[in-house]
Amino acid sequence: MAILIVAEHNNNILQAATLSVLTAAAEIATYDGDSELHLLIIGHDCQAVVDMAQGIAGLSKILITDAPLYQYSLAENIASLVVSLVEGTNQELKQIQDAKQAPFQSHYSHIMTSASTTGKDYQPRIAALLDVAQISDIISVESADIFKRPIYAGNAIATVQSSDSIQVITVRSSAFEPVPLNTSSLDDAKQVPVVELAVQADYGKTEFISAELTQSSRPELTTAKVVIAGGRGLQNADNFVLLDSLADQLNAAVGASRAAVDAGFVANDLQVGQTGKIVAPDLYIAVGISGAIQHIAGITGSKVIVAINRDPDAPIFDVADYGLVADLFDVLPEFTNALKAKE
Ligand SMILES: Cc1cc2nc3c(=O)[nH]c(=O)nc-3n(C[C@H](O)[C@H](O)[C@H](O)COP(=O)(O)OP(=O)(O)OC[C@H]3O[C@@H](n4cnc5c(N)ncnc54)[C@H](O)[C@@H]3O)c2cc1C
């Protein structure tokens, strides 16, 4: 049997989330008689991603489909390609099978990808086309068919078991360490075999119009080692400069509570929590954030949580490893200046 991991990438770089999905897949493989791990890369002009994937230890095969149709990860087209692979109707695969004069047998036990916006878009379609359930947002692997996943905004953890023949899974990438990626040049003899798959017909009912991407010199919120988030306590957009100065000192990403986003202090792509981003940094600093359950749902994977709040009864202190009851307008400049003085 084999486990299929659908890679997340931007046609140039393999996203770190996929490396975490590979860790989850490798854990399943140990329960599943050492299954092979196959990485599927669907994109356009994405040879750089294939080259990066060659640096992943433990892969048995890289499958690739490179065509303009796949440039923008439209869910319907990804789903039909994955299903053609799993059901053995993909023309390229058929040719390989015909050459071997052996009937095709679907040998994928699991189809896995990260619980990102893109993964959450195509994975349910794949499950529906295969007529199996989807298992969402797993945070731990208990066996080949038993997983843990958060429910009720992270307030309870459900243990789920699936009896489907193919398990379609999204993985909360912050819950698994990424597999190491070897970026040094690789010996040709150690290259993972690459199989090209045939392009499927365009679904035709969705089309890519445009993308508006935020450009930032800061680390990406979901993968940053340090995150500093501000809440309504910052009072206005201008005061977020206090967080920016501290973030510059700590090479941190800046996040925010929903109240800060709704009040227009910062853009909504900075929102952390149940309806925002899930973060799992080494250090999370919550500034002027009360600690509503919907916010906590996004930060429980953080290794160390520090809270700065002037209200000693704020619920954020219940989950914080270190708490400072103080006025943020006194503390933040002091903190930043102390770090600058150490440079
Ligand atoms: C369905 C649903 C989904 C939601 N999803 C999310 C989500 O994804 N993320 C999220 O964050 N919220 C989410 N919320 C909103 C959530 O319930 C809270 O309303 C929100 O998190 C509150 O944000 P806050 O802590 O910034 O504001 P507040 O609750 O108003 O807290 C502000 C805090 O700042 C402190 N403060 C004020 N001034 C200072 C000062 N000078 N110095 C120090 N401290 C100070 C106060 O003591 C207070 O604790 C969701 C709500 C619902 C219903």
Side-chain angles (χ1 to χ4, degrees):
M1 298 295 270
I3 298 173
L4 184 70
I5 299 103
V6 186
E8 194 172 336
H9 62 88
N10 61 4
N11 293 311
N12 194 26
I13 292 172
L14 186 64
Q15 303 297 344
T18 298
L19 302 178
S20 297
V21 177
L22 279 154
T23 300
E27 281 183 34
I28 293 173
T30 60
Y31 289 107
D32 214 12
D34 276 330
S35 301
E36 291 189 350
L37 303 186
H38 294 182
L39 184 71
L40 173 60
I41 298 170
I42 307 169
H44 181 44
D45 280 342
C46 53
Q47 183 56 38
V49 183
V50 178
D51 294 343
M52 266 181 96
Q54 288 288 354
I56 300 170
L59 278 186
S60 304
K61 212 173 271 178
I62 297 173
L63 305 150
I64 156 106
T65 310
D66 190 326
L69 182 63
Y70 299 120
Q71 179 156 11
Y72 298 112
S73 303
L74 295 181
E76 294 82 358
N77 290 335
I78 292 182
S80 75
L81 180 78
V82 172
V83 170
S84 79
L85 169 63
V86 172
E87 292 186 337
T89 52
N90 190 281
Q91 276 313 111
E92 291 292 328
L93 269 188
K94 275 181 85 66
Q95 280 166 21
I96 296 170
Q97 294 301 320
D98 290 349
K100 285 187 185 164
Q101 296 191 319
F104 178 84
Q105 286 183 322
S106 175
H107 60 305
Y108 287 111
S109 56
H110 299 74
I111 303 170
M112 302 177 68
T113 198
S114 75
S116 64
T117 313
T118 319
K120 285 181 195 166
D121 197 2
Y122 60 73
Q123 203 72 328
R125 292 168 202 271
I126 293 170
L129 290 169
L130 295 174
D131 199 18
V132 296
Q134 193 210 234
I135 304 164
S136 305
D137 212 13
I138 65 161
I139 56 167
S140 91
V141 172
E142 304 299 306
S143 76
D145 60 2
I146 303 179
F147 310 97
K148 289 198 164 158
R149 57 178 299 265
I151 55 172
Y152 303 128
N155 283 294
I157 304 296
T159 303
V160 293
Q161 179 167 28
S162 165
S163 55
D164 280 324
S165 54
I166 300 180
Q167 317 238 343
V168 177
I169 297 170
T170 59
V171 177
R172 182 175 288 195
S173 51
S174 59
F176 295 88
E177 286 295 321
V179 293
L181 184 64
N182 181 0
T183 47
S184 58
S185 63
L186 291 164
D187 182 347
D188 272 358
K190 289 191 187 143
Q191 296 269 312
V192 180
V194 177
V195 176
E196 284 191 29
L197 300 179
V199 177
Q200 301 300 291
D202 186 358
Y203 178 75
K205 291 188 182 165
T206 48
E207 106 184 79
F208 174 81
I209 304 289
S210 67
E212 284 173 35
L213 303 176
T214 310
Q215 303 291 343
S216 170
S217 54
R218 295 244 161 76
E220 208 274 314
L221 196 49
T222 55
T223 52
K225 297 268 179 228
V226 181
V227 173
I228 303 171
R232 190 165 10 219
L234 275 129
Q235 296 178 359
N236 58 46
D238 292 344
N239 288 335
F240 260 77
V241 76
L242 293 170
L243 289 195
D244 290 338
S245 311
L246 187 54
D248 288 342
Q249 291 301 310
L250 296 171
N251 189 28
V254 171
S257 70
R258 176 154 154 187
V261 169
D262 287 352
F265 300 172
V266 287
N268 64 0
D269 59 332
L270 297 195
Q271 185 178 319
V272 173
Q274 180 190 341
T275 43
K277 290 183 175 157
I278 308 286
V279 299
D282 292 342
L283 175 62
Y284 185 81
I285 308 177
V287 183
I289 291 178
S290 59
I293 51 167
Q294 295 90 354
H295 186 80
I296 303 300
I299 66 169
T300 46
S302 307
K303 292 206 175 74
V304 175
I305 298 175
V306 174
I308 302 172
N309 197 306
R310 68 179 177 192
D311 173 6
D313 296 324
I316 190 75
F317 290 125
D318 296 341
V319 295
D321 299 282
Y322 299 94
L324 186 56
V325 180
D327 192 309
L328 68 92
F329 296 105
D330 297 333
V331 169
L332 286 184
E334 217 177 305
F335 192 179
T336 308
N337 289 337
L339 288 168
K340 278 187 183 156
K342 280 188 82 181
E343 273 179 10

